Amino acid sequence: MLKTQVYGRISFTVPAGAARAEVALPGGGAEGVPVFARQPVAFAYDYHGYETVNPDGAPVREARYTAHAAGAYEFRAYDAGGGEVACIPFEAEDAGLPGYVVVSDIDPRYFALSCGGGYLPIGLNLVGCGYDRLPAGMDHFKASQRTATTGLIQWRRWFAELKAAGANYCRIWLSNHYTQARTEIMGVHDLIALERFDAVMALARAAGVRVKLCFEHWRTFSDSGHFAFKRYVNPDTGLQLTDENEWFQSEKWNERWLQDVAPYIDRYHDDPVVFAWELWNEIDCGNGSFEAVAAFTKKMLPRVKALSPHNLTVNSLGSFDEEWKQERQDAFRDMPEMEFQQVHRYLDQGAPMDICHSDPVAFSIEAVERSRRMDKPCILTETGGVNDRHVGPFRFYQCDHKGRIFYDVTYPALFAGAAGSGHIWHWGEYVEAKNLFKDFAPLADAFEGIAAHKEGFEAS
């Protein structure tokens, strides 16, 4: 009989005609399990270390499941007509795995684990790996538009660094070049990109790192060279979409968006490695009105939650660097569908708020105090230093060999009542460049074995 562990992960290959699946539970009843397409791949690396990922065999159908209790289970798959096409018994054994990240029912200012232990997300943003421009012929200094990446070589190094330092969290964008499986036609997906994503998540699981997965970061349909331009083609007309408010408010596009992100959720629904599903990076910073994006957030959070009920769901706003943004922070803070609260803030000497100009310790504390509720966790989930108005990484990163800025934006929030460390943004240009991953260790060590949700901490 197949065996798995409670809070572990088991995969089933199903017949090509399988349309849906379920798992019969030890105590009776059944849970639905998504079935999805997989394209097996082979990773290869050339003389320069650049990665290629190619198909390795025929596509298959697969389902994945996490058992929540010890006992005997049965996996069943059905075709479109309801006929059973697979029946696989398996057994789950309790191996002491920690389970899911949840909001503590003892002290809701903090996260906990479903096994009863504590969880303080200590880590950073690892949004995506880098790509290099390739040469155009043999002439010096002449680059083409073609790019290449070392791919998993980078991800493997980052997760090894996090594990060595005792860090336990990162945030990945599912819209970055490496993990983006969606195309300009909603519902059409790149199965090889999904395999790359699987490989990244396998590294996170092995390192004991929980991952917040952010679906989107686009801000505009206007092709103006903006870094967050998104081209979507209406499959009904063949025309590019142009109205962001219609996209956010239309049930038609809402439903198609859920179908578009489904391949990610199907693979990782109810997977303990997922810290949370995040709808959007800074959803209010695009061309959609705040009313439209707030309504989208309120509507879609429970719909994503229904697809992955054991994982947290959340959304994020732009950097809290102007007084008028307090109203938006309050709106998201008080939205019942938001399971925890997030705030972004950077050291930015061009920001309208004076507190952003020179003291990241003070701005971390104030950001948490102005964003939190006492019945929800709050985290400073993007931070760091930028040149004025976010036009690039902070110019003094290059000479900060001792990581003073890192300490100032990573440590204070946790001691000011946040539910985790500050999560710095510039993982490549600063944290890796200055060998600062190791500097998570003192914070991780200080809270080793401490269940913050049971301690009754008060910020001083």
Side-chain angles (χ1 to χ4, degrees), residues 308-328:
S308 193
H310 289 280
N311 299 124
L312 299 172
T313 52
V314 74
N315 209 3
S316 68
L317 296 167
S319 188
F320 191 1
D321 55 11
E322 300 186 61
E323 284 294 341
W324 61 266
K325 293 186 178 182
Q326 181 72 61
E327 185 176 350
R328 295 187 175 186

Side-chain angles (χ1 to χ4, degrees), residues 219-399:
R219 297 185 175 187
T220 176
F221 291 147
S222 175
D223 189 1
S224 58
H226 194 281
F227 85 97
F229 160 69
K230 178 69 177 182
R231 177 177 170 81
Y232 266 142
V233 172
N234 184 337
D236 300 329
T237 65
L239 300 176
Q240 181 180 337
L241 299 183
T242 58
D243 188 334
E244 291 87 358
N245 283 330
E246 178 191 1
W247 192 94
F248 282 113
Q249 294 173 317
S250 163
E251 176 61 25
K252 168 185 173 180
W253 295 116
N254 292 172
E255 188 61 37
R256 286 189 169 173
W257 180 76
L258 285 172
Q259 295 169 5
D260 215 29
V261 301
Y264 296 106
I265 300 177
D266 290 349
R267 281 165 168 73
Y268 290 93
H269 92 288
D270 286 353
D271 190 330
V273 77
V274 177
F275 167 73
W277 297 103
E278 183 178 38
L279 301 185
W280 220 277
N281 175 68
E282 302 186 341
I283 194 170
D284 65 324
C285 292
N287 289 350
S289 69
F290 183 69
E291 292 72 23
V293 300
F296 175 88
T297 298
K298 186 175 180 66
K299 179 180 181 181
M300 302 309 281
L301 283 173
R303 295 183 72 171
V304 171
K305 181 75 174 179
L307 296 172
S308 193
H310 289 280
N311 299 124
L312 299 172
T313 52
V314 74
N315 209 3
S316 68
L317 296 167
S319 188
F320 191 1
D321 55 11
E322 300 186 61
E323 284 294 341
W324 61 266
K325 293 186 178 182
Q326 181 72 61
E327 185 176 350
R328 295 187 175 186
Q329 285 292 139
D330 292 349
F332 270 39
R333 178 197 66 196
D334 297 335
M335 191 180 291
E337 295 79 5
M338 194 85 67
E339 294 192 88
F340 59 96
Q341 180 59 9
Q342 305 192 118
V343 59
H344 294 185
R345 180 174 278 177
Y346 289 81
L347 177 64
D348 177 0
Q349 293 172 311
M353 293 178 72
D354 289 343
I355 199 166
C356 297
H357 293 175
S358 60
D359 190 343
V361 174
F363 85 51
S364 297
I365 295 169
E366 199 224 29
V368 172
E369 290 176 342
R370 292 178 63 161
S371 303
R372 68 179 177 176
R373 292 171 51 127
M374 300 307 286
D375 59 352
K376 287 184 181 182
C378 178
I379 49 177
L380 178 60
T381 195
E382 265 195 37
T383 190
V386 295
N387 288 336
D388 289 12
R389 307 312 285 145
H390 293 257
V391 296
F394 193 43
R395 56 198 169 277
F396 293 118
Y397 277 162
Q398 62 183 332
C399 56

Side-chain angles (χ1 to χ4, degrees), residues 9-70:
R9 200 70 168 160
I10 188 169
S11 299
F12 303 94
T13 300
V14 300
R20 67 178 185 88
E22 66 180 15
V23 170
L25 306 176
E31 288 183 323
V33 182
V35 176
F36 55 89
R38 271 201 62 217
Q39 171 59 67
V41 299
F43 288 80
Y45 299 86
D46 67 11
Y47 172 79
H48 307 285
Y50 289 129
E51 180 181 273
T52 56
V53 187
N54 295 307
D56 187 23
V60 297
R61 300 281 284 169
E62 188 172 298
R64 298 172 183 171
Y65 181 71
T66 296
H68 307 135

